[in-house]
Amino acid sequence: LAIAFVSCPAADADAIARALVEARVAACVNIVPQLRSVYRWQDAVETADEALLLIKHPAAGFEALRTEVLRIHPYELPEIIAVPLSQGHAPYLAWILDSCR
């Protein structure tokens, strides 16, 4: 299992989250509604107000999740980062797997 982090415009967060759950590539997506990102893009330092999606998914399904995010995300180069889950409440972890079948 893993958690993926995807930042996006706040106006797109609900639609992206719903699409990922409906496609069964994610069991649950938490939306952190407001954050400010500072980053380098095309050799300039930029800032953006965004939302952060915390996406719970099977680690083996990362490529399917990535493909779906790339299909619906408005950015040219979206952040899609996954970190493995090593521990958790066993029934919840089982629910993640079951929800993505």
Side-chain angles (χ1 to χ4, degrees):
L1 297 173
I3 296 179
F5 299 91
V6 173
S7 56
C8 64
D12 297 302
D14 285 334
I16 293 171
R18 181 169 291 279
L20 297 176
V21 173
E22 286 178 351
R24 293 189 172 264
V25 296
C28 175
V29 179
N30 300 115
I31 301 170
V32 181
Q34 187 174 6
L35 64 120
R36 178 171 284 266
S37 296
V38 179
Y39 55 95
R40 182 171 298 280
W41 181 248
Q42 298 179 345
D43 208 29
V45 176
E46 303 284 346
T47 60
D49 292 323
E50 300 177 300
L52 179 64
L53 307 179
L54 305 175
I55 305 163
K56 277 72 77 172
H57 65 96
F62 176 76
E63 286 305 317
L65 172 71
R66 185 180 71 82
T67 297
E68 188 66 13
V69 170
L70 290 173
R71 185 182 73 75
I72 59 180
H73 202 288
Y75 291 171
E76 179 182 343
L77 181 63
E79 169 189 17
I80 309 170
I81 299 171
V83 295
L85 288 172
S86 61
Q87 294 186 37
H89 180 53
Y92 182 79
L93 300 180
W95 171 79
I96 291 172
L97 291 173
D98 188 53
S99 294
C100 293
R101 291 189 184 157

